[in-house]
């Protein structure tokens, strides 16, 4: 069931006067139902994908030379001998109670929930750091390119955006390490400082990995903002506002920039999945102990429950951010909820 289908379903549920909801609340409630449904379908796909992957977690945990009796006992202990649907139903029931089970290989016997909770703040810090850099730089580049369109400033900003889009994050990471870390010695090339220990130290140590993730996103954000601003500038209501004698700054902020933020905020929310994908690679390059590096270790170790938990966590984060973006866009343009 798609989000639009949920939107059509809700009026029928809340059609009575007693249960009538305001359009905005009905819109938000529909998005929440749609996000939960997508999360359920995504969890099922992740589970089937991991079951279809090559390798046997029992052999990874016990070794290739383990006797058949030990392998059978291991599979029985962890429910690996049950039908796939039964395993999924059991796993889903555990997730509903906040329990992802125990790690089989990477941290044998340790609860996966504890592993993820211990790594999540690190990944969240690097991801938010990268998103902040991408948003701030794109707001400057996109606005400069739109206000001075066709001029040298527009050409420079657009060229920077094209360069950012064309450069993969892992390649940029190695170039930053080579130039700014090993070459100039301005930043560390490996390791992580927790914000709880030193916020300034964390910002300094995480700048290169955050910049490597942020650069391609900033390019996409800047081009989106430039196109949105140029589209809004040509609207009749902008011409009318100028004819009333309003200042250029007031017209830009209240009539142009706010309306251009709607597609911009939408694309920012959609690119969160890129942040998480970049984190998986960048954390390994810079030795950051986050969820991304944990998932890579689990994949190499055939720790399927841990990989599934990391992927479902990433999916939940993406859906949550998209939900918040939808709500933010509703605030910018209330007509979206009607």
């Amino acid at each position: 069931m798609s989000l639009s289908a949920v939107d059509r379903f809700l009026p029928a549920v809340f059609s009575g006067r007693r249960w009538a909801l305001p359009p905005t609340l009905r819109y938000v409630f529909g998005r929440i139902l749609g996000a939960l449904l997508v999360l359920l379908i995504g969890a099922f796909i992740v589970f089937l994908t991991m079951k279809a992957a090559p390798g046997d977690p029992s052999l990874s945990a016990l070794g290739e030379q383990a006797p058949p009796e030990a392998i059978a006992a291991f599979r029985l202990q962890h429910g690996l001998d049950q039908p796939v649907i039964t395993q999924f139903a059991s796993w889903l029931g555990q997730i509903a109670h906040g329990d992802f089970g125990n790690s089989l290989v990477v941290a044998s016997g340790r609860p996966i929930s504890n592993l993820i909770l211990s790594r999540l703040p690190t990944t969240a810090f690097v991801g938010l750091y990268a998103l902040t850099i991408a948003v701030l730089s794109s707001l400057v580049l996109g606005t400069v390119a739109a206000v001075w369109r066709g001029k040298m400033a527009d050409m420079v900003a657009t060229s920077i955006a094209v360069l950012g889009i064309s450069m993969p994050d892992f390649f940029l990471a190695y170039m930053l390490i080579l130039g700014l870390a090993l070459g100039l010695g301005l930043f560390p090339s490996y390791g992580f400082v927790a914000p709880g220990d030193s916020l300034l130290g964390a910002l300094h140590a995480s700048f290169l990995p955050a910049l490597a993730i942020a650069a391609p996103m900033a390019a996409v954000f800047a081009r989106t903002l430039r196109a949105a601003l140029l589209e809004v500038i040509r609207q009749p209501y902008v011409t009318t506002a100028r004819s009333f004698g309003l200042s250029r700054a007031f017209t830009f902020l209240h009539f142009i920039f706010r309306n251009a933020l709607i597609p911009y905020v939408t694309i920012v929310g959609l690119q969160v999945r890129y942040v998480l994908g970049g984190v998986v690679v960048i954390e390994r390059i810079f030795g950051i102990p986050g969820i991304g590096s944990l998932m890579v270790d689990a994949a190499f170790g055939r720790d399927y429950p841990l990989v599934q938990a990391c992927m479902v966590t990433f999916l939940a984060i993406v859906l949550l951010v998209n939900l918040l973006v939808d709500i933010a866009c509703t605030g910018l343009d209330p007509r979206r909820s009607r």
Side-chain angles (χ1 to χ4, degrees), residues 187-201:
F187 301 95
S189 61
Y190 197 82
F192 178 76
V193 177
D197 297 335
S198 173
L199 180 58
L200 293 178

Side-chain angles (χ1 to χ4, degrees), residues 45 66 113 124 126 128 161 191 210 286 299 337:
I45 294 175
S113 301
V126 175
L128 290 176
F286 288 93
S337 62

Side-chain angles (χ1 to χ4, degrees), residues 11-282:
V13 176
F14 302 102
S15 57
R17 291 180 177 273
R18 183 178 178 181
W19 298 101
L21 287 176
T24 301
L25 290 181
R26 188 167 64 246
Y27 176 84
V28 173
F29 188 64
R31 290 297 180 267
I32 293 176
L33 286 181
L36 292 176
L37 183 59
V38 172
L39 181 61
L40 177 62
I41 296 174
F44 183 68
I45 294 175
V46 167
F47 188 85
L48 291 183
T49 301
M50 295 310 302
K51 289 300 178 183
D56 189 344
S58 59
L59 294 178
S60 300
L62 302 177
E64 297 290 340
Q65 305 300 325
E69 296 80 8
I71 294 177
F74 183 89
R75 294 178 61 84
L76 179 63
Q77 178 184 358
H78 295 90
L80 300 176
D81 59 333
Q82 299 177 359
V84 174
I85 297 300
T86 304
Q87 294 183 43
F88 176 73
S90 176
W91 180 62
L92 195 63
Q94 290 179 338
I95 293 179
H97 293 85
D99 181 15
F100 285 101
N102 296 329
S103 172
L104 301 181
V105 181
V106 174
S108 182
R110 185 177 176 184
I112 294 176
S113 301
N114 294 343
L115 288 173
I116 292 179
L117 290 177
S118 64
R119 300 289 190 100
L120 184 59
T122 300
T123 298
F125 177 79
V126 175
L128 290 176
Y129 194 3
L131 193 61
T132 301
I133 294 175
V135 169
L136 294 179
S137 58
S138 65
L139 287 175
V140 174
L141 291 175
T143 303
V144 167
V147 173
W148 286 281
R149 62 188 182 277
K151 298 181 180 180
M152 181 60 66
D154 183 19
M155 296 177 59
V156 172
T158 303
S159 300
I160 294 175
V162 172
L163 180 63
I165 294 175
S166 306
M167 190 174 300
D169 51 5
F170 66 88
F171 176 78
L172 179 59
Y174 285 119
M175 293 299 100
L176 292 174
I177 292 174
L178 182 62
L180 299 181
L182 301 180
L184 299 178
L186 298 177
F187 301 95
S189 61
Y190 197 82
F192 178 76
V193 177
D197 297 335
S198 173
L199 180 58
L200 293 178
L203 292 174
H204 179 258
S206 303
F207 180 75
L208 293 186
L211 181 59
I213 299 173
M217 287 193 305
V220 176
F221 296 166
R223 289 172 64 89
T224 301
L225 182 61
R226 179 184 183 276
L229 287 172
L230 293 179
E231 179 67 24
V232 174
I233 287 175
R234 293 190 288 265
Q235 297 300 317
Y237 60 81
V238 175
T239 304
T240 303
R242 289 173 175 171
S243 67
F244 286 159
L246 301 177
S247 64
R248 292 177 60 90
F250 184 88
T251 302
F252 180 81
L253 291 177
H254 291 270
F255 293 95
I256 300 175
F257 190 72
R258 176 176 176 175
N259 289 288
L261 282 180
I262 297 175
Y264 177 82
V265 171
T266 301
I267 201 66
V268 169
L270 293 175
Q271 288 294 312
V272 169
R273 64 183 186 274
Y274 180 85
V275 175
L276 299 178
V279 159
V280 174
V281 178
I282 298 302

